[in-house]
Structures are given as C-alpha cells and as structure tokens.
Amino acid sequence: MFHKIKNVAALNNYLLSVSFVEGVTKIYDVKPLFKKWDVFNELKKNDLFKKVKVDQGGYGISWNDDIDLACDELFFEGKLVQSPFDGLIAFTEACQMWNLNESTLRKAVSYGKLVDGIDVCKFGKQWVVTIQAMEREYGPRIG
C-alpha cells in the first residue's frame, strides 16, 4: 500500500516535513542521501532544496527531473511528528480511502452516525473526520 503525500515543506538543515493523506506528518532527513547518491548533492546548490514539490498523485516528491523520492521511503524512514491534527482527514480524502461518495459522509453526519464535534468538524467549507470514526463505521480503508 502506498502512503500518499498531501504536502511537503523544506525545513532547515535539509529536513523535510511531509504530511500524508492518512493524517500523519513525518520529518525526513535528506542528509544521509548526500553520501549514498551523488545526485542529491545538487540540492545544496542554488536553494534547490527549498523548491521541493509533491508529484502528481502524491506518490512521491521531486526537485527536478533527476532528483525525487518515493512516498513509501518518506513514510517508513521519516520520524513521526506528534500533532493535534493527527488522525484527521478531509472528507474528500476519506471518500477516496474508503471508496465512498462524499454525500454518504454528509448523510452520516445528519443521521448522527458520525457525531459533529467528536467524529467530524467543519472548518469553513471543509469537513474533516477522524480516521478512528471512519474505521469504526466503515471498516479498514480500501485505498
């Protein structure tokens, strides 16, 4: 199973903050790659390191056509960061992960199956849900 990336940010000292779709954030240290793969030394030049971006689909990150990292490398080798937002995911992402329609989750809220303020919360126009509530109501994730 792939751990799709939602967001990546370059930090000081060649560290990356990587947020995954499943509501987890990890810190990945790029420095060991400088010794392992010569191509990664290019990241030290011209602020290239700060230009990191998530690849289309979220299956990796890249700096240019020659330098990239896979999502599973970042997930399994990154260090977990504790955050008050751990375990929260957007309805859109939950629907993809459980192969549901977004209207299914909205109905679950209106019928009390997902409790507002406990299982779900709305921030502006965006609903978020806990992974724990999704697993309780819909079983293990599919995607």
Side-chain angles (χ1 to χ4, degrees):
M1 173 192 297
F2 290 104
H3 297 277
K4 289 175 64 172
I5 300 165
K6 180 168 58 173
N7 190 35
V8 63
L11 306 175
N12 291 332
N13 201 24
Y14 298 102
L15 298 175
L16 297 170
S17 173
V18 185
S19 300
F20 293 88
V21 170
E22 60 258 46
V24 173
T25 300
K26 296 207 175 186
I27 300 294
Y28 183 87
D29 188 353
V30 176
K31 290 185 298 295
L33 301 178
F34 296 152
K35 293 179 184 175
K36 189 173 182 180
W37 306 101
D38 286 337
V39 70
F40 280 91
N41 286 303
E42 291 296 314
L43 297 177
K44 297 176 184 177
K45 300 176 184 175
N46 301 325
D47 289 332
L48 180 60
F49 182 73
K50 294 178 182 178
K51 296 178 182 175
V52 65
K53 64 183 184 294
V54 178
D55 290 341
Q56 187 172 0
Y59 295 105
I61 61 169
S62 61
W63 289 270
N64 59 29
D65 290 340
D66 298 322
I67 308 171
D68 59 18
L69 288 169
C71 55
D72 282 351
E73 165 70 14
L74 297 163
F75 187 87
F76 292 115
E77 299 302 323
K79 305 287 186 238
L80 184 63
V81 175
Q82 297 297 322
S83 160
F85 302 105
D86 288 350
L88 292 178
I89 54 176
F91 268 25
T92 306
E93 292 159 343
C95 290
Q96 291 173 351
M97 293 168 72
W98 273 269
N99 198 23
L100 299 170
N101 190 302
E102 198 162 329
S103 65
T104 302
L105 296 183
R106 288 194 181 112
K107 287 178 185 175
V109 173
S110 67
Y111 297 147
K113 188 174 183 180
L114 295 173
V115 180
D116 192 1
I118 297 175
D119 299 322
V120 298
C121 186
K122 191 171 185 181
F123 294 98
K125 294 181 179 181
Q126 179 67 54
W127 281 94
V128 294
V129 61
T130 66
I131 291 176
Q132 184 180 21
M134 289 298 297
E135 290 174 340
R136 180 190 74 224
E137 297 299 329
Y138 300 103
R141 67 184 182 155
I142 297 169

